Amino acid sequence: MVAGYRAIALQTKCYAVNNAASREEALVTIKQNLQRLKSQIQASCSFVGADTKLIVLPEYFLTGFPIKESIEEWKHKACIMPGDEIYESLCNIASENSVYLVGNVYELDDNFPDLYFQICFIVSPSGRIILRYRRLTSMFTPTPHDVLDKYIEIYGVESLFPVAKTEIGNLACLASEEILYPEIARCLAMRGAEVFCHCTSEIYGIRNAPKDVAKLARAYENMAYVVSANSAGIANIPIPESSTDGGSKIVDYRGLVLAETAQGESMSAFAEIDIEALRRYRRRPGLANLLSRQRFELFAHFYSSTSFYPANNLLGKKPDRKHFYETQRSVIEKLIEKGVI
């Protein structure tokens, strides 16, 4: 039995490192972000209650995202290595507050020295990283799909869709626009995911944006919770600060919004997560039990025999931002030739 608990989609401001002239200068900002975060998490847990067990942070909350920086420049300025002091600080924050802490950072990998990956991590209340999910689809960031054969050879195919089975339920991660790709959430659901932790940085407005609609859809079609944390703005970049600000929310397994916040820094997107109710719902036969009614054999041939965006397109290459545009343009041209679009 899993007791009900509170989750918080913590909407916090990102102070970006793009203006930093060196790695050392960037680290000053990163450590200041960590200090602010430590205080906010402690205060939020005190306000929401001792039964707070899960906190999800926004996308790239420590650094912002590369704008004019090349792959090489961003590697040296903003990326972190597994096991370094930044992770150690995040692990301490999780253990000090007895929560599962979910976040999103840019990470280096010695097996792929010319690249970096954008990852979501989950830290347990014991202060241990129990899940690393590397974003699988991105416009400008290298992904495991771009080096797929070598990646699977090193880490195995199971590493692509990790799910952490914990005492508060089966947790999985989605990064930003990946909420728009139903296949990613579905593969995680196939592996037992019950709570999708969604680290995002997105436009929020008075009308439902595509990502907002997708959050409800991914929750309903997979019969899972979505805990989605958006930025409370991004400072220190040329883009207007509040362009990605607001709308953090928690959606239940019926696609119903349990909690949502407006703009600005806020911990008010919190709600109870009832895993036992979710499991009863998943085990009840009927029209609404979409997960048990999936007929994957119908689709398997078409997926296995079709390729749009090419795998392994970065193997043996040192990429620049132009590579991603050129690859997408090539895909579009091929789809036109085939009459797909």
Side-chain angles (χ1 to χ4, degrees), residues 45 81 101 122 145-146 164 202 225 303 325:
C45 288
M81 281 293 292
L101 182 64
I122 300 178
H145 181 259
D146 298 317
E202 64 189 59
Y225 284 97
Y303 274 106
Y325 269 124

Side-chain angles (χ1 to χ4, degrees), residues 59-310:
E59 186 180 15
Y60 41 69
F61 63 99
L62 287 178
T63 62
F65 60 95
I67 299 177
K68 294 181 179 180
E69 292 89 352
S70 67
I71 300 283
E72 195 67 21
E73 287 170 338
W74 196 249
K75 275 172 51 184
H76 293 294
K77 180 185 290 187
C79 298
I80 61 180
M81 281 293 292
D84 76 6
E85 60 176 333
I86 305 302
Y87 276 127
E88 185 178 343
S89 296
L90 290 164
C91 289
N92 289 338
I93 290 172
S95 62
E96 287 166 6
N97 294 280
S98 299
V99 297
Y100 286 88
L101 182 64
V102 184
N104 177 278
V105 296
Y106 291 96
E107 187 180 79
L108 300 174
D109 185 333
D110 286 338
N111 292 303
F112 300 93
D114 295 326
L115 308 179
Y116 58 77
F117 297 107
Q118 188 181 1
I119 79 147
C120 295
F121 62 83
I122 300 178
V123 182
S124 73
S126 65
R128 185 170 62 89
I129 296 175
I130 59 171
L131 182 145
R132 270 189 171 90
Y133 165 75
R134 284 172 165 172
R135 181 172 175 170
L136 297 175
T137 181
S138 177
M139 184 67 199
F140 294 115
T141 298
T143 76
H145 181 259
D146 298 317
V147 287
L148 188 60
D149 289 348
K150 183 178 179 182
Y151 194 90
I152 290 175
E153 180 184 334
I154 295 170
Y155 294 110
V157 71
E158 298 290 313
S159 68
L160 296 176
F161 298 99
V163 175
K165 297 190 175 183
T166 77
E167 68 269 22
I168 66 167
N170 300 337
L171 311 180
C173 294
L174 294 166
S176 191
E177 66 166 352
E178 289 191 321
I179 200 77
L180 300 174
Y181 293 82
E183 295 87 352
I184 297 177
R186 180 70 85 206
C187 285
L188 293 167
M190 287 179 189
R191 305 199 66 201
E194 296 170 319
V195 181
F196 294 130
C197 303
H198 182 223
C199 304
T200 189
S201 187
E202 64 189 59
I203 294 170
Y204 172 71
I206 59 173
R207 293 182 177 84
N208 282 344
K211 287 184 186 179
D212 231 24
V213 173
K215 292 168 196 176
L216 310 187
R218 299 297 86 82
Y220 183 81
E221 68 196 11
N222 293 295
M223 306 169 74
Y225 284 97
V226 172
V227 182
S228 178
N230 194 20
S231 305
I234 304 177
N236 303 331
I237 61 173
I239 298 169
E241 186 173 299
S242 295
S243 297
T244 58
D245 182 359
S248 297
K249 59 173 57 61
I250 298 178
V251 186
D252 80 355
Y253 48 87
R254 299 162 297 172
L256 303 177
V257 177
L258 302 180
E260 183 174 7
T261 191
Q263 292 181 298
E265 291 200 305
S266 176
M267 49 94 242
S268 60
F270 67 86
E272 183 174 12
I273 304 296
D274 190 341
I275 294 296
E276 291 302 323
L278 176 151
R279 290 176 179 174
R280 289 194 300 272
Y281 195 75
R282 284 183 167 188
R283 293 166 184 170
R284 184 183 297 121
L287 191 68
N289 195 328
L290 299 187
L291 204 53
S292 66
R293 297 174 61 206
Q294 294 303 313
R295 304 180 186 224
F296 296 124
E297 296 81 3
L298 291 172
F299 321 122
H301 166 75
F302 294 93
Y303 274 106
S304 64
S305 62
T306 303
S307 176
F308 283 10
Y309 197 94

Side-chain angles (χ1 to χ4, degrees), residues 3-15:
Y5 61 91
R6 301 283 183 99
I8 304 174
L10 188 61
Q11 191 166 283
T12 186
K13 183 181 286 189
C14 168
Y15 290 85

Side-chain angles (χ1 to χ4, degrees), residues 308-338:
F308 283 10
Y309 197 94
N312 298 310
N313 64 85
L314 286 180
L315 278 178
K317 296 180 181 178
K318 283 193 172 185
D320 54 28
R321 293 172 68 86
K322 185 172 64 174
H323 167 85
F324 299 104
Y325 269 124
E326 290 175 347
T327 302
Q328 186 184 36
R329 190 174 291 115
S330 174
V331 171
I332 292 170
E333 290 171 357
K334 289 178 182 177
L335 295 181
I336 292 171
E337 290 174 7
K338 290 180 178 181

